[in-house]
């Protein structure tokens, strides 16, 4: 599907959900992400959802030039998808209810996603939320030229293998870059302002 120029707002749970296979164990990339392929979400706004802005599954997903704002937990939740591009989005004010005991993120990339690229996004005003979090079994992420401001963990790469984090700016984050139980993470030519990196 191609979705352009629409506003989704005030949903009781989530604005969008693309269904598909969620692996319950280690899954080769050929075995997931094939139910929906080639989704394009462009020039849209997703705001004021009482949980997640959208659950997205499927290979070759592109989310570009969108505003994702004021959600109770995640803004964008990508699951078990390959060759994904998030580009030139504004993502702000997630976890507006300040939920504790739960670990939300502006963007959660979860459960064996391969080659997810986050490029030239603005993620800010997240004092109770992480920025962009690659979590569990992800491979070969690319995180370049993003501006991440006032987040818990700006770029968080956990229980995953292979990432490039380059040319980003991290401002007033608890941890700008955090690599936890992960391998082959290459971090270079980033700017940290009142922010640390944690490995």
């Amino acid at each position: 599907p191609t979705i352009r120029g629409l506003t989704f707002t005030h949903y009781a749970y989530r604005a969008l959900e693309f269904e598909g296979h969620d692996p319950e164990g280690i899954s080769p990339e050929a075995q997931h992400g094939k139910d929906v392929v080639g989704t394009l979400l462009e020039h849209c706004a997703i705001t004021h959802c009482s949980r997640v802005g959208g659950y997205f599954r499927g290979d070759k997903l592109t989310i570009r030039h969108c505003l994702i704002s004021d959600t109770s937990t995640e803004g964008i939740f990508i699951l078990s998808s390959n060759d994904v591009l998030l580009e030139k989005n504004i993502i702000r004010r997630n976890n507006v209810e300040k939920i504790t005991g739960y670990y939300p993120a502006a963007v959660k990339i979860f459960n064996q996603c391969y080659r997810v690229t986050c490029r030239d996004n603005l993620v800010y005003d997240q004092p109770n939320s992480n920025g962009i979090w690659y979590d569990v079994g992800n491979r070969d992420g690319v995180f370049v030229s993003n501006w991440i401001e006032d987040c818990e963990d700006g770029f968080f790469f956990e229980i995953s293998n292979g990432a490039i984090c380059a040319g980003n700016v991290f401002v007033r984050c608890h941890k700008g870059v955090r690599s936890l139980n992960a391998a082959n993470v290459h971090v270079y030519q980033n700017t940290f302002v009142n922010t640390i990196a944690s490995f």
Side-chain angles (χ1 to χ4, degrees):
T2 296
I3 302 170
R4 282 195 178 100
L6 298 181
T7 296
F8 301 87
T9 190
H10 290 87
Y11 283 81
Y13 180 48
R14 77 285 196 202
L16 292 167
E17 180 163 10
F18 290 82
E19 296 183 351
H21 175 61
D22 290 324
E24 295 182 5
I26 295 172
S27 174
E29 63 177 292
Q31 294 183 5
H32 59 261
K34 310 300 183 269
D35 299 280
V36 178
V37 175
T39 299
L40 172 63
L41 190 70
E42 193 170 49
H43 299 291
C44 292
I46 301 174
T47 66
H48 298 92
C49 296
S50 72
R51 184 155 190 258
V52 172
Y55 289 100
F56 297 92
R57 297 172 179 87
D59 293 358
K60 298 187 167 108
L61 163 70
T62 299
I63 301 176
R64 181 188 293 126
H65 291 293
C66 292
L67 170 66
I68 315 295
S69 181
D70 297 280
T71 61
S72 291
T73 54
E74 287 80 14
I76 296 171
F77 208 123
I78 298 169
L79 298 120
S80 309
S81 302
N82 310 306
D83 301 304
V84 173
L85 174 63
L86 303 181
E87 182 178 51
K88 298 183 184 298
N89 301 292
I90 297 173
I91 308 167
R92 65 185 186 191
R93 294 196 301 263
N94 304 107
N95 193 17
V96 293
E97 296 182 46
K98 303 179 183 177
I99 296 170
T100 59
Y102 177 85
Y103 303 99
V107 177
K108 179 73 76 72
I109 301 159
F110 186 67
N111 193 8
Q112 302 174 82
C113 294
Y114 289 69
R115 297 175 304 280
V116 175
T117 296
C118 298
R119 180 171 61 222
D120 201 17
N121 299 285
L122 172 61
V123 180
Y124 74 103
D125 199 7
Q126 306 277 0
N128 303 290
S129 180
N130 292 304
I132 298 179
W133 185 355
Y134 292 73
D135 189 16
V136 183
N138 298 295
R139 298 294 299 263
D140 301 324
V142 177
F143 190 85
V144 293
S145 301
N146 300 285
W147 185 289
I148 312 293
E149 183 172 333
D150 293 318
C151 297
E152 282 292 314
D153 297 329
F155 165 67
F156 191 0
F157 198 76
E158 182 178 17
I159 315 173
S160 296
N161 189 347
I164 294 172
C165 174
N168 304 286
V169 177
F170 300 96
V171 180
R172 292 186 305 273
C173 298
H174 180 67
K175 295 182 176 79
V177 169
R178 185 177 184 192
S179 175
L180 180 65
N181 297 321
N184 299 313
V185 179
H186 302 271
V187 179
Y188 55 92
Q189 294 180 342
N190 299 284
T191 299
F192 295 84
V193 180
N194 294 332
T195 301
I196 67 167
S198 176
F199 301 91

